[in-house]
Amino acid sequence: MHCRDVGMNCDFVARGSTEQEIMDQAGRHAQQAHNMTVTPELADKVKGLIHDESSDAHRQSMARR
């Protein structure tokens, strides 16, 4: 999950073996780096942006850098 995909000007990438690992990393990052509270709506948006590194979505995220 790329922070940039959520709309932030940020190069952070959360990686993990499970959705929960990624969500935990993304939540900590949102709080610490962006002073954001993770609402249920934001969590749903982030879950929808999780993708495999071999996917087209990942290639598109990397192209936005």
Side-chain angles (χ1 to χ4, degrees), residues 14-36:
R15 290 183 173 89
S17 299
T18 67
E19 181 180 86
Q20 190 59 53
E21 285 179 23
I22 295 167
M23 292 302 294
D24 290 346
Q25 288 176 39
R28 280 190 304 274
H29 173 73
Q31 291 172 336
Q32 294 171 355
H34 303 296
N35 199 31
M36 294 175 70

Side-chain angles (χ1 to χ4, degrees), residues 28-65:
R28 280 190 304 274
H29 173 73
Q31 291 172 336
Q32 294 171 355
H34 303 296
N35 199 31
M36 294 175 70
T37 300
V38 179
T39 63
E41 294 81 14
L42 180 57
D44 286 343
K45 181 176 183 177
V46 170
K47 284 180 186 178
L49 295 170
I50 295 173
H51 53 261
D52 189 88
E53 288 186 309
S54 65
S55 70
D56 287 336
H58 179 72
R59 285 186 281 285
Q60 290 170 357
S61 292
M62 294 303 291
R64 286 189 206 108
R65 295 182 114 204

